Amino acid sequence: MLDRDTAKTYAEWFRTLADPTRVQILNLLAVTGAPVTVGEIVEQVSVGQSTVPAHLKVLADIGFVLVEPRGNARL
């Protein structure tokens, strides 16, 4: 039986992955195997430029992705 804290962690992961855009972003990053820019994500995933950073923040907060500033871009 899972302890309560572990169950809460898993529930947070599932809540994060309940959004299809986030699943698409994770899949893109996994198959690319290299850092990508927000612009590159927008080209591959049918969402607006303004929504991608919000999705990346949620994914980064839970620990699924790392966001690294490089020059004017965030990879």
Side-chain angles (χ1 to χ4, degrees), residues 3-75:
D3 62 85
R4 190 70 174 170
D5 288 338
T6 301
K8 285 181 181 180
T9 298
Y10 290 173
E12 289 174 14
W13 293 350
F14 288 123
R15 215 176 0 263
T16 299
L17 295 175
D19 186 292
T21 301
R22 292 187 201 127
V23 173
Q24 285 182 300
I25 291 170
L26 284 177
N27 178 254
L28 172 66
L29 296 173
V31 299
T32 302
V36 295
T37 65
V38 169
E40 292 168 328
I41 294 171
V42 170
E43 289 175 7
Q44 298 294 318
V45 180
S46 298
V47 294
Q49 175 101 18
S50 62
T51 62
V52 171
H55 286 295
L56 288 174
K57 181 178 179 346
V58 172
L59 292 167
D61 287 349
I62 203 77
F64 286 164
V65 300
L66 298 174
V67 179
E68 175 185 315
R70 197 174 294 166
N72 291 339
R74 292 173 54 89
L75 303 175

